[in-house]
Amino acid sequence: MGGDDEIDRLQPERELWSFEADGRIPTTPAVANGRVHVGSLDRNVYALETEDGTERWRFETGNEVWSAPTIDGDALYVGGVDQRVYAIGLDGDQRWTVETDNEIYAPPTTADDRVYIGSNDGKLYALSSAAGEVEWSVEIGGKVKSELATIEDWGYVGSTNGTLSAIDLRDGARQWRFGTDERVLSRPAIHDDRVVFGSTDRRCYAIDRQNGDERWRYETDGGIASSPTVRDGTVYFGNWRMRVHAVDVETGEQQWQTTLRGRINGSPTLANDVLYVGDAAGIVHALNPETGEAHWRFKTDNAVIAAPTVVDDVAYVASNDGRVYALDVT
């Protein structure tokens, strides 16, 4: 990749602070109440002060944490490779835990006093937020590593069996299933009457959210594990051939594409008219969402596979170098 001096628009001075855990950090930071929350492969979930990165607490699970934490109200929800879903108070104390039949990599989704989460046992679970009781579970098939996307009484989730399933959230009944040629690993995006998602078959799809009919498909040159971000009529996502794509959400026509330094797994984050994307080369890119050109870049020491989180002009970035970085994005 070359030295730092060969990376155009590199701006290390944007770093406000960094915190180092004892293992890689592959999870998108969850920010609430003045704290940044991340999971690590050292088995811990951490809560850090947004002001200076001071550790306030850590919660130890039974194995690695690949599932990004989700905060709803006064609780944090997260899944673990130890096959468990945890509810943790924002003071770091455990509220409840539920065991599934296999490892959990999917982030939880919260809605209507429930926690929805997929497991490698092939099921999607609906748990009561208050007590963790299993209200229903549905067999999706494959491994469910995708985060559920919800709207009204509908939920949409992908699986490693190559399908996207539409679920009635009231009782877990499957409404329809759409098949791709490979794995669906990431959270779909819901826009008006359609669901947009990527597959490792190298395609991005737009599907009618009511009946599962295909509206369009967009071919790329690499697998897609990046959740799409939709804003102002444009779908943004990355692929494994290092490219960020911008596609018209109505037609599937390309608006632009740009090549980064490494493969892209995390979702692009759009905040204050800037698109933030991390790549496997360890670089966070701040891009112009209209053209894909870089405003600036920041380099970490290992892959950035999770989406940055931007709050109050600060981007919080988790890296596989074991650090969380706070970057000034003004």
Side-chain angles (χ1 to χ4, degrees), residues 5 20 32 66 70 79 84 129 143 158 162 187 193 198 236 249:
D5 57 347
E20 186 169 9
W66 288 80
T70 295
R84 292 183 174 274
S129 300
K143 299 176 180 179
R187 183 182 190 273
D193 61 349
Y236 303 96
V249 72

Side-chain angles (χ1 to χ4, degrees), residues 44-166:
N44 292 303
V45 177
Y46 292 91
L48 315 172
E49 292 288 352
T50 56
E51 183 177 356
D52 56 11
T54 300
E55 179 183 332
R56 284 306 172 198
W57 53 258
R58 67 176 68 185
F59 178 90
E60 185 174 3
T61 72
N63 208 321
E64 297 175 342
V65 180
W66 288 80
S67 167
T70 295
I71 295 174
D72 190 0
D74 62 353
L76 176 150
Y77 304 96
V78 69
V81 176
D82 61 2
Q83 307 185 17
R84 292 183 174 274
V85 186
Y86 294 91
I88 306 167
L90 296 186
D91 56 2
D93 291 336
Q94 179 175 303
R95 300 276 182 86
W96 51 256
T97 183
V98 173
E99 188 169 4
T100 70
D101 293 327
N102 210 315
E103 301 170 344
I104 299 174
Y105 290 83
T109 297
T110 57
D112 299 325
D113 298 322
R114 281 180 177 168
V115 180
Y116 299 96
I117 194 164
S119 169
N120 278 9
D121 63 13
K123 296 177 183 177
L124 176 73
Y125 292 83
L127 312 174
S128 67
S129 300
E133 297 172 346
V134 179
E135 299 193 356
W136 53 256
S137 66
V138 59
E139 185 72 39
I140 302 295
K143 299 176 180 179
V144 184
K145 298 187 176 184
S146 164
E147 181 181 357
L148 181 77
T150 65
I151 182 170
E152 298 168 349
D153 291 328
W154 288 70
Y156 304 89
V157 68
S159 172
T160 61
N161 65 8
T163 63
L164 182 81
S165 295

Side-chain angles (χ1 to χ4, degrees), residues 22-281:
D22 294 326
R24 290 185 289 159
I25 304 178
T27 65
T28 297
V31 181
N33 299 332
R35 291 180 181 173
V36 185
H37 305 80
V38 292
S40 170
L41 301 196
D42 66 12
R43 303 186 172 203
N44 292 303
V45 177
Y46 292 91
L48 315 172
E49 292 288 352
T50 56
E51 183 177 356
D52 56 11
T54 300
E55 179 183 332
R56 284 306 172 198
W57 53 258
R58 67 176 68 185
F59 178 90
E60 185 174 3
T61 72
N63 208 321
E64 297 175 342
V65 180
W66 288 80
S67 167
T70 295
I71 295 174
D72 190 0
D74 62 353
L76 176 150
Y77 304 96
V78 69
V81 176
D82 61 2
Q83 307 185 17
R84 292 183 174 274
V85 186
Y86 294 91
I88 306 167
L90 296 186
D91 56 2
D93 291 336
Q94 179 175 303
R95 300 276 182 86
W96 51 256
T97 183
V98 173
E99 188 169 4
T100 70
D101 293 327
N102 210 315
E103 301 170 344
I104 299 174
Y105 290 83
T109 297
T110 57
D112 299 325
D113 298 322
R114 281 180 177 168
V115 180
Y116 299 96
I117 194 164
S119 169
N120 278 9
D121 63 13
K123 296 177 183 177
L124 176 73
Y125 292 83
L127 312 174
S128 67
S129 300
E133 297 172 346
V134 179
E135 299 193 356
W136 53 256
S137 66
V138 59
E139 185 72 39
I140 302 295
K143 299 176 180 179
V144 184
K145 298 187 176 184
S146 164
E147 181 181 357
L148 181 77
T150 65
I151 182 170
E152 298 168 349
D153 291 328
W154 288 70
Y156 304 89
V157 68
S159 172
T160 61
N161 65 8
T163 63
L164 182 81
S165 295
I167 305 296
D168 187 328
L169 298 180
R170 292 169 294 186
D171 57 10
R174 185 180 359 236
Q175 302 303 298
W176 52 256
R177 179 164 56 185
F178 179 88
T180 75
D181 292 335
E182 288 193 24
R183 297 169 293 163
V184 180
L185 298 175
S186 56
R187 183 182 190 273
I190 300 171
H191 177 78
D192 293 338
D193 61 349
R194 63 195 60 193
V195 183
V196 183
F197 69 99
S199 169
T200 59
D201 69 4
R202 304 183 177 190
R203 301 183 185 102
C204 180
Y205 298 87
I207 307 299
D208 187 298
R209 71 178 183 88
Q210 294 295 330
N211 57 30
D213 291 344
E214 182 177 322
R215 293 292 188 86
W216 52 257
R217 64 176 62 187
Y218 173 84
E219 301 271 353
T220 78
D221 59 354
I224 301 170
S226 166
S227 296
T229 296
V230 182
R231 187 77 60 85
D232 297 330
T234 301
V235 181
Y236 303 96
F237 64 91
N239 75 357
W240 287 347
R241 289 299 297 269
M242 308 188 296
R243 307 192 208 286
V244 179
H245 295 260
V247 178
D248 187 288
V249 72
E250 297 296 331
T251 65
E253 295 181 357
Q254 182 184 105
Q255 296 182 350
W256 55 259
Q257 73 171 23
T258 190
T259 303
L260 305 187
R261 292 296 186 106
R263 66 190 288 174
I264 303 160
N265 283 287
S267 174
T269 298
L270 188 57
N272 300 322
D273 296 323
V274 178
L275 194 69
Y276 301 94
V277 187
D279 67 22

Side-chain angles (χ1 to χ4, degrees), residues 266-324:
S267 174
T269 298
L270 188 57
N272 300 322
D273 296 323
V274 178
L275 194 69
Y276 301 94
V277 187
D279 67 22
I283 301 173
V284 180
H285 305 258
L287 307 178
N288 183 328
E290 299 294 328
T291 65
E293 296 180 358
H295 295 303
W296 54 264
R297 297 180 170 94
F298 179 88
K299 186 176 182 299
T300 76
D301 292 331
N302 207 318
V304 176
I305 66 173
T309 299
V310 180
V311 177
D312 296 334
D313 294 325
V314 178
Y316 300 95
V317 176
S319 172
N320 276 355
D321 66 11
R323 296 182 178 91
V324 179

